[in-house]
Amino acid sequence: MSTFKANARVYPLPPNPVAVICLDGCADEYLSTAIARGKMPRLASMARDGWRGMVRGALPSFTNVNNSSIVTGVPPRVHGICGNFFLNPETGEEVMMNGPEFRRCGTLLTAAADAGRKVAFITAKEKLRTVLGDGVVERGGIVFSSEKVDEAKKETHGIENAMEIIGKPRPEIYSGDASIYVLEAGAALAEQGVADFLYLSTTDFMQHKFGPEAPEILDFHAKIDAAIGRLLDAGCTVALTADHGMNAKNDAAGDPKVIFVESLLREKFGNALRVICPITDPYVVHHGALGSLVMVHLDDPALSSAVADFLFSQKGITEVLTREQAVDKLELAPDRIGDLVVLSGRDVVVGKSPEHHDLSVLKGGLRSHGGRYEEMVPLVISKPLTPDLKRVAEGDPRNFDVFFFACSV
Amino acid sequence: MSTFKANARVYPLPPNPVAVICLDGCADEYLSTAIARGKMPRLASMARDGWRGMVRGALPSFTNVNNSSIVTGVPPRVHGICGNFFLNPETGEEVMMNGPEFRRCGTLLTAAADAGRKVAFITAKEKLRTVLGDGVVERGGIVFSSEKVDEAKKETHGIENAMEIIGKPRPEIYSGDASIYVLEAGAALAEQGVADFLYLSTTDFMQHKFGPEAPEILDFHAKIDAAIGRLLDAGCTVALTADHGMNAKNDAAGDPKVIFVESLLREKFGNALRVICPITDPYVVHHGALGSLVMVHLDDPALSSAVADFLFSQKGITEVLTREQAVDKLELAPDRIGDLVVLSGRDVVVGKSPEHHDLSVLKGGLRSHGGRYEEMVPLVISKPLTPDLKRVAEGDPRNFDVFFFACSV
């Protein structure tokens, strides 16, 4: 079997097409419930005939961080994407990492294209296309988002008339359709032999809105399952994982349980500090920029220990790590994180200040992610594991091993 | 509906029999795999018609700690059982908490018996019977272990001729049968109307030995499922949870990944410290007394910060908490834990010293628990949640809410 190499990892290249799906925000409970209710018969067959288990994602358990890890096969310490935003230590400015120039290594998508595969990378959100899709079109591959599928052109996206090929018009980004479209588009490309190495990455609009039992999300998963079936029927090895889990973050009255870290700290330690919410992105309706991990930047590093102790003593805060500890334990890049990295509990989010977050966008309560309780995610593969892969799975497998699994079964 | 009260919590008392199952060491993956392979049709029906989700256990994620929480409905800070062993601060001796005198509150089993229910508490391990079964027989209930079912007598266990009623001889404790027997015994008592409020607690011998896909454990779960079916057919509301999860803890060569904390610390800080492995129990074949949480006791508390920093810098150590932090964050009792509480990663265990652990008992690699990565466990209930319970489930539900769920659906 031929192989290809990316970021010091060697991947086999199987003769059949490979489709890796990152189902954004897919906590394992979504799959268990959808399978139990008979909504995902094709995924249930994958779990029966292949493998289903739990893998550990990268922290912060955010979308860009984990999608970056999945397409590079390495942790954030190597690829450098430790959130959507970071505080540039050289300029003191908050920077959105919305281009490939922030990534510090190549992707396995371009490496697979170099090895002769017909690569297609389809996302729901346009931001992921721009951050991770570089170099693929130049190598004959296809990269577009369902959000802007109508803008796809041969020279910039590797595909002309995408909507005709897929057979559906552009979906609304704030919808379940934006994600279903990604999988249907991948299925169409696989069916037509236009692509044989696919990365299909959805958006978690639905998961932010609905718990596993909601009729809306059961219907959503039924459609996801039908598209998975098309990929399987097209001969693909299918591997499904998630970037992060998802938990409700509300009190008994249904209001978000928020700790405003910057307000709290400024009251006690003064204004010479800043809090960055690295979940912040242009799609605020999902979560109001509230997640379960924030970065604290201190003008005076000597305050670090006192601030850390104070923060850790707050109810709902579960971990406070120094920059060095976060590099070591969370595998983060030292110049892309705060002096302190702060994580909150299963039902708690951390924010900046009340003024900074518009909670009115959160209809029906907050569901979010970013912390330790959204770190573990499912991995489902359509073929059984080889003995070698079983040994990997019996250790501490990661969601960013998904391409290795998919190419090796 | 009538109610009963235990440890400041009010429980409804439904007219039908209630059976709560604690499937020892049942990481959620066991259920997903068994269901996918068609081995647990009755549990699959429960998930379809009732509810399946994830709940948070108590830390340390050990058996006695979580069984104590389940039968009291409160965290370890209240009931005081923070492990199998603790270092008595008054005597300096390591004490096994093998009797009810170590527990600091009553159980909901006796409260339910006082409210007129026919309580049966059946365990696999005799140790759990002695630690948690006090007061039940005096109130007309039944308490015995499958390990010593042949010793059950009316005056001491509330039942005579238990093996005849169950229709099977005593199983071997180091077997899957020891656990299956517990559920079959419960089913027999429910079928015969001898009990209508059951707590059935198994042993994790099989889970320590086998991963979710092993044919042996698939067969085990098929038998567990058949017994669950008998409980359902007897009219019981069935609620199944676990005391803790289970993870493989081996390196790529298949050898246990162990950090010997006492050896490591004595080399650096001298001999004036002790490490307690609170997973230690008389059933060492399961895990060689190696789990993912240990207690560090320091003769000189002034060393605390230096020792904590040193430990946290070790690869594989994921959390180090001071006593005060552990009381606050892990809900532990201050006089039952160490100066430091040390947790290790998904695939790593912590021990005392190489001499202290007999790794030769570990045939086929180590699977164990005790840390953060074995904290989240499944909860499956045979009836759908009420709107009130849905709100609880959308927060941070605990495995020791299981009786509340089972009595409230």
Side-chain angles (χ1 to χ4, degrees):
Chain A
M1 195 183 285
S2 63
T3 62
F4 71 103
K5 199 171 165 182
N7 301 318
R9 295 184 71 166
V10 176
Y11 298 79
L13 261 184
N16 55 284
V18 169
V20 166
I21 299 167
C22 176
L23 211 51
D24 194 0
C26 185
D28 195 55
E29 296 94 307
Y30 284 109
L31 301 183
S32 292
T33 303
I35 289 174
R37 306 290 164 94
K39 301 293 183 186
M40 299 193 91
R42 301 302 299 261
L43 193 79
S45 300
M46 283 173 58
R48 184 190 66 216
D49 304 329
W51 190 78
R52 177 181 173 191
M54 296 299 286
V55 291
R56 189 160 66 88
L59 285 170
S61 44
F62 293 140
T63 296
N64 284 16
V65 177
N66 279 277
N67 272 275
S68 299
S69 282
I70 289 170
V71 299
T72 59
V74 293
R77 184 164 45 191
V78 180
H79 64 63
I81 308 299
C82 302
N84 297 334
F85 267 85
F86 82 111
L87 188 72
N88 188 326
E90 284 161 28
T91 64
E93 282 180 0
E94 296 180 29
V95 180
M96 183 160 74
M97 292 186 275
N98 56 354
E101 65 274 19
F102 296 101
R103 212 184 53 241
R104 291 171 170 165
C105 62
T107 71
L108 54 79
L109 301 176
T110 59
D114 283 338
R117 297 301 288 236
K118 292 179 275 185
V119 173
F121 172 37
I122 311 175
T123 66
K125 290 178 178 174
E126 177 72 2
K127 71 164 183 183
L128 268 191
R129 181 188 79 82
T130 56
V131 172
L132 298 174
D134 53 294
V136 173
V137 173
E138 293 85 329
R139 289 166 174 82
I142 297 169
V143 183
F144 64 90
S145 70
S146 61
E147 182 178 3
K148 300 205 170 170
V149 60
D150 51 331
E151 296 178 8
K153 293 265 175 294
K154 184 73 188 170
E155 51 286 10
T156 48
H157 299 74
I159 190 169
E160 204 78 41
N161 307 325
M163 290 187 294
E164 273 172 46
I165 291 170
I166 300 155
K168 280 194 176 178
R170 180 173 66 84
E172 161 61 32
I173 183 65
Y174 292 118
S175 72
D177 289 342
S179 290
I180 295 159
Y181 196 93
V182 170
L183 269 59
E184 290 178 339
L189 299 186
E191 284 160 357
Q192 297 170 34
V194 180
D196 62 11
F197 192 95
L198 300 101
Y199 182 48
L200 310 172
S201 185
T202 68
T203 173
D204 56 5
F205 172 75
M206 293 295 282
Q207 288 85 354
H208 274 290
K209 230 172 144 60
F210 300 111
E213 288 197 310
E216 293 88 346
I217 206 145
L218 290 170
D219 180 55
F220 170 79
H221 283 123
K223 290 173 180 162
I224 291 287
D225 194 68
I228 290 171
R230 285 177 59 188
L231 289 163
L232 291 167
D233 293 341
C236 293
T237 302
V238 175
L240 179 147
T241 190
D243 49 354
H244 55 75
M246 187 70 73
N247 281 305
K249 308 278 184 179
N250 307 299
D251 61 21
D255 295 317
K257 281 174 90 165
V258 190
I259 302 169
F260 292 108
V261 176
E262 190 174 271
S263 306
L264 192 71
L265 291 181
R266 288 192 166 183
E267 195 178 320
K268 180 143 179 112
F269 296 98
N271 289 340
L273 53 85
R274 275 161 89 177
V275 167
I276 303 287
C277 304
I279 194 177
T280 309
D281 74 5
Y283 308 85
V284 288
V285 175
H286 290 201
H287 44 62
L290 290 166
S292 290
L293 185 147
V294 292
M295 307 291 182
V296 178
H297 294 266
L298 303 167
D299 290 0
D300 178 8
L303 275 181
S304 176
S305 177
V307 173
D309 286 350
F310 173 72
L311 275 177
F312 195 51
S313 74
Q314 303 297 314
K315 192 172 154 64
I317 299 295
T318 49
E319 291 171 76
V320 181
L321 296 100
T322 64
R323 186 189 308 270
E324 295 68 31
Q325 290 168 342
V327 169
D328 188 28
K329 300 294 175 187
L330 309 186
E331 305 171 285
L332 294 173
D335 55 339
R336 293 279 173 83
I337 61 176
D339 297 290
L340 297 172
V341 179
V342 183
L343 289 81
S344 61
R346 187 188 186 195
D347 58 344
V348 179
V349 287
V350 273
K352 199 177 171 87
S353 60
E355 312 81 66
H356 185 78
H357 301 274
D358 181 7
L359 276 65
S360 72
V361 300
L362 305 170
K363 307 273 190 292
L366 175 62
R367 300 176 58 80
S368 196
H369 55 91
R372 188 70 75 176
Y373 287 94
E374 296 86 28
E375 183 189 24
M376 299 301 298
V377 291
L379 173 63
V380 190
I381 303 177
S382 61
K383 293 181 180 172
L385 302 188
T386 62
D388 277 356
L389 289 177
K390 274 191 185 170
R391 269 189 291 276
V392 177
E394 279 274 289
D396 183 24
R398 310 299 299 267
N399 64 346
F400 54 83
D401 295 330
V402 61
F403 271 102
F404 183 78
F405 275 96
C407 291
S408 306
V409 287
Chain B
M1 195 183 283
S2 63
T3 62
F4 70 104
K5 199 170 167 183
N7 301 317
R9 296 184 70 166
V10 176
Y11 298 80
L13 261 184
N16 55 284
V18 169
V20 166
I21 299 168
C22 176
L23 211 52
D24 194 0
C26 186
D28 194 54
E29 296 95 304
Y30 285 109
L31 301 183
S32 292
T33 303
I35 289 173
R37 306 293 163 93
K39 300 295 183 185
M40 300 192 92
R42 301 303 299 260
L43 193 77
S45 300
M46 282 173 59
R48 185 190 65 218
D49 305 328
W51 191 79
R52 177 181 173 191
M54 297 298 287
V55 290
R56 191 160 64 89
L59 285 169
S61 45
F62 293 140
T63 297
N64 283 17
V65 177
N66 278 277
N67 271 275
S68 298
S69 282
I70 289 170
V71 299
T72 59
V74 293
R77 184 164 44 194
V78 180
H79 63 63
I81 307 299
C82 301
N84 297 333
F85 266 85
F86 82 110
L87 188 72
N88 188 327
E90 283 161 27
T91 64
E93 282 179 358
E94 296 181 29
V95 181
M96 183 159 75
M97 291 188 275
N98 56 354
E101 65 274 20
F102 296 99
R103 210 183 55 243
R104 291 170 171 166
C105 63
T107 71
L108 55 79
L109 301 177
T110 58
D114 283 337
R117 296 302 287 236
K118 292 180 275 184
V119 173
F121 171 36
I122 311 176
T123 67
K125 291 176 177 174
E126 178 71 3
K127 73 166 182 182
L128 268 190
R129 181 188 77 82
T130 56
V131 172
L132 298 174
D134 54 293
V136 173
V137 173
E138 293 85 327
R139 287 166 174 82
I142 296 169
V143 182
F144 63 90
S145 69
S146 62
E147 182 179 3
K148 299 204 171 171
V149 58
D150 52 330
E151 296 177 9
K153 293 265 174 294
K154 185 73 187 168
E155 52 286 9
T156 49
H157 299 74
I159 190 168
E160 203 79 40
N161 306 324
M163 291 186 293
E164 273 172 47
I165 291 170
I166 300 156
K168 281 192 175 180
R170 179 174 67 83
E172 161 62 32
I173 184 65
Y174 291 118
S175 72
D177 289 342
S179 290
I180 296 159
Y181 196 93
V182 169
L183 269 57
E184 290 177 339
L189 299 186
E191 284 160 357
Q192 296 170 36
V194 181
D196 61 12
F197 193 94
L198 298 101
Y199 181 49
L200 310 172
S201 185
T202 68
T203 173
D204 57 5
F205 172 75
M206 293 295 282
Q207 288 85 353
H208 274 290
K209 229 172 144 61
F210 300 111
E213 287 197 310
E216 294 88 344
I217 206 145
L218 289 171
D219 179 56
F220 170 80
H221 283 123
K223 289 174 180 161
I224 292 288
D225 195 68
I228 290 172
R230 285 176 59 189
L231 288 163
L232 291 167
D233 294 341
C236 293
T237 301
V238 175
L240 179 147
T241 191
D243 48 354
H244 54 75
M246 185 71 73
N247 281 304
K249 307 277 185 181
N250 308 299
D251 60 22
D255 295 317
K257 281 174 91 164
V258 190
I259 301 170
F260 292 109
V261 176
E262 189 174 273
S263 305
L264 191 71
L265 291 181
R266 288 192 167 183
E267 195 179 317
K268 179 139 180 114
F269 296 97
N271 290 340
L273 53 86
R274 276 161 90 175
V275 167
I276 303 288
C277 303
I279 195 177
T280 309
D281 73 6
Y283 308 84
V284 287
V285 176
H286 289 202
H287 44 61
L290 290 165
S292 289
L293 184 147
V294 292
M295 306 291 182
V296 177
H297 293 265
L298 302 167
D299 289 2
D300 178 7
L303 275 181
S304 176
S305 178
V307 172
D309 286 350
F310 173 72
L311 274 177
F312 194 50
S313 73
Q314 304 297 314
K315 192 174 154 61
I317 300 295
T318 48
E319 292 171 76
V320 180
L321 296 101
T322 64
R323 186 190 309 271
E324 295 68 29
Q325 290 168 342
V327 169
D328 189 27
K329 300 293 173 186
L330 310 186
E331 304 171 286
L332 293 172
D335 55 338
R336 293 279 172 83
I337 62 176
D339 296 290
L340 296 172
V341 179
V342 182
L343 289 82
S344 61
R346 186 187 185 194
D347 58 344
V348 179
V349 287
V350 273
K352 196 177 173 87
S353 60
E355 312 81 69
H356 185 76
H357 301 274
D358 181 7
L359 275 65
S360 72
V361 300
L362 304 171
K363 306 272 190 291
L366 175 62
R367 299 176 59 79
S368 196
H369 54 92
R372 187 71 73 176
Y373 287 93
E374 296 85 28
E375 183 190 24
M376 299 301 298
V377 291
L379 174 62
V380 190
I381 303 177
S382 60
K383 293 182 181 172
L385 302 188
T386 61
D388 277 355
L389 289 177
K390 275 190 185 170
R391 269 188 290 276
V392 176
E394 280 273 288
D396 183 24
R398 310 298 301 265
N399 65 346
F400 54 84
D401 295 331
V402 60
F403 271 102
F404 182 78
F405 276 96
C407 291
S408 305
V409 287

